[in-house]
Amino acid sequence: METTSLSSAVDAEFAPGTTYLNTSTCGLLPRRTVAAVRALAEAIGSGSRADSGDFEAVEAARSGFARLSGVDADRVAVGSSVSVHVGLVAAALPPGAEVLAPEGEFSSVVSPFAVRGDLRTRYAPLDRLADAVGPDTALVALSSVQSSNGRIADLKAVRAAAGAHGARTLLDTTQSAGWLPLDAGEYDYTVTGGFKFLLCPRGASFLTVTEEAQRTLPPLFAGMYAAADPWNSTYGPVGQLSGTARRYDEPPAFLSYHGAEQSLALLNEVGVDAVHTHATGLAARMRAGLAGLGHEAVPGESAIVAVPGLGEREPELARAGVVVSNRAGSLRAAFHLYNTEADVDRALDVLAR
């Protein structure tokens, strides 16, 4: 596999017009991704092609995500959103099953369970989630990194507790995939929105399912794309579904996946370990600078920095060309491969005024 230094990749692919510290909301698209989406859109608009996109791009994106996640591509299903993937898992649970999640977890991770009405949903503080797993727990659903404050869950403890009680695990890696090394195969299910740290256009998302979990997860959204032979499954009920996780595929949004192929290739060229070192180093610099200004950030080693009570300064930073977000009253800054020490210092300079 080709390798590319982080600095050369950034020089080739990015030229932010702002001090952009908002990847937790939406990642910047690499130049190659923009070019791929534009080329497909122009071809469709001109009528120069007879279809809406290439399945080869979808398969390349599937494989690219699999490499980043440490699993075989046969365990990866493609889709459009985290909530749809979670909804599939929620629909498969028997009535009365207990789902345990952290307090304040992102809505897409918990709402599909809550709206069923016949499941028992229970919540516990993130730092005590493993202790809250009990003999009646059917599934533990959580994010590896919390959207609101960047806290990294004690995933090893959660896995051990779930295993001890026979509970399955569902992990949302939307705020970590791309910068935090992770083996998706350690969880029954993972769900990931691609438009943040994976730098994909919105509309590309990924579900991983272990081979054991595939035995009991029904392909409720099955269409021709979930078939073993899609082009001979266009009319009438699908005769034979794919024997891999592809049977959980949604029909692909080709514009998004033509872009996702390129973004995931870039991240694989650079490597998650390199991005992790770079992004967490910048986040540490930000936390130290905030402390020097008398602001206490949420502690930890995350690439996402949150400062409770400082969210009201987001508009001021925006006027100065520093793009961050206000989440639950906290000022949230997220660091990725295209950020620099100058970005950190620029944000701190505005906050020091």
Side-chain angles (χ1 to χ4, degrees):
M1 182 177 64
E2 179 185 0
T3 58
T4 304
S5 74
L6 188 146
S7 60
S8 63
V10 171
D11 290 342
E13 298 290 350
F14 301 98
T18 63
T19 300
Y20 191 81
L21 306 178
N22 201 29
T23 301
S24 279
T25 299
C26 180
L28 299 182
L29 297 180
R31 288 190 177 101
R32 67 174 79 176
T33 301
V34 174
V37 174
R38 180 183 291 121
L40 178 59
E42 289 177 348
I44 295 172
S46 68
S48 61
R49 61 180 301 157
D51 56 19
S52 56
D54 297 323
F55 282 101
E56 291 81 4
V58 179
E59 293 310 311
R62 190 195 312 273
S63 295
F65 179 79
R67 289 196 299 274
L68 286 173
S69 303
V71 297
D72 189 88
D74 284 349
R75 293 189 178 187
V76 179
V78 301
S80 60
S81 71
V82 162
S83 58
V84 172
H85 295 314
V86 177
L88 175 62
V89 177
L93 291 173
E98 179 182 279
V99 178
L100 175 67
E103 295 174 348
E105 180 57 81
F106 195 74
S107 176
S108 296
V109 180
V110 294
S111 294
F113 302 108
V115 298
R116 263 198 50 173
D118 61 351
L119 299 176
R120 291 183 293 126
T121 53
R122 189 162 59 87
Y123 304 93
L126 181 66
D127 58 1
R128 297 202 294 274
L129 189 67
D131 295 335
V133 180
D136 295 329
T137 305
L139 179 77
V140 185
L142 75 158
S143 296
S144 50
V145 175
Q146 290 291 297
S147 171
S148 61
N149 53 28
R151 292 177 64 194
I152 303 175
D154 187 346
L155 298 177
K156 183 178 180 180
V158 171
R159 288 197 309 272
H165 291 287
R168 285 191 165 154
T169 51
L170 183 152
L171 189 72
D172 181 359
T173 69
T174 301
Q175 294 289 359
S176 65
W179 70 266
L180 183 66
L182 185 72
D183 180 0
E186 294 182 323
Y187 305 88
D188 296 283
Y189 317 101
T190 71
V191 294
T192 309
F195 66 100
K196 299 181 188 287
F197 290 90
L198 292 182
L199 311 177
C200 300
R202 187 157 191 160
S205 64
F206 304 91
L207 164 70
T208 72
V209 190
T210 63
E211 292 178 353
E212 192 279 329
Q214 287 181 37
R215 298 189 187 105
T216 56
L217 185 66
L220 297 178
F221 307 141
M224 63 171 284
Y225 300 102
D229 184 3
W231 289 111
N232 285 314
S233 304
T234 51
Y235 302 106
V238 172
Q240 182 177 356
L241 292 168
S242 170
T244 72
R246 193 165 59 76
R247 64 182 177 273
Y248 306 116
D249 278 7
E250 297 176 58
F254 282 114
L255 285 168
S256 297
Y257 278 93
H258 274 236
E261 173 189 10
Q262 302 299 322
S263 295
L264 295 168
L266 173 63
L267 288 169
N268 275 299
E269 290 165 17
V270 174
V272 174
D273 289 340
V275 178
H276 177 267
T277 298
H278 178 76
T280 56
L282 294 176
R285 183 184 182 93
M286 182 73 171
R287 289 188 187 91
L290 287 164
L293 296 176
H295 302 300
E296 184 176 354
V298 174
E301 299 179 351
S302 176
I304 302 169
V305 178
V307 191
L310 210 62
E312 63 184 16
R313 300 199 60 181
E314 182 270 332
E316 175 191 348
L317 286 155
R319 289 192 295 271
V322 180
V323 185
V324 294
S325 50
N326 178 358
R327 289 294 181 271
S330 293
L331 187 73
R332 187 184 67 179
F335 297 92
H336 206 2
L337 77 168
Y338 38 65
N339 293 122
T340 65
E341 290 184 352
D343 292 338
V344 177
D345 297 342
R346 173 61 179 156
L348 292 171
D349 178 65
V350 176
L351 289 170
R353 295 176 184 174

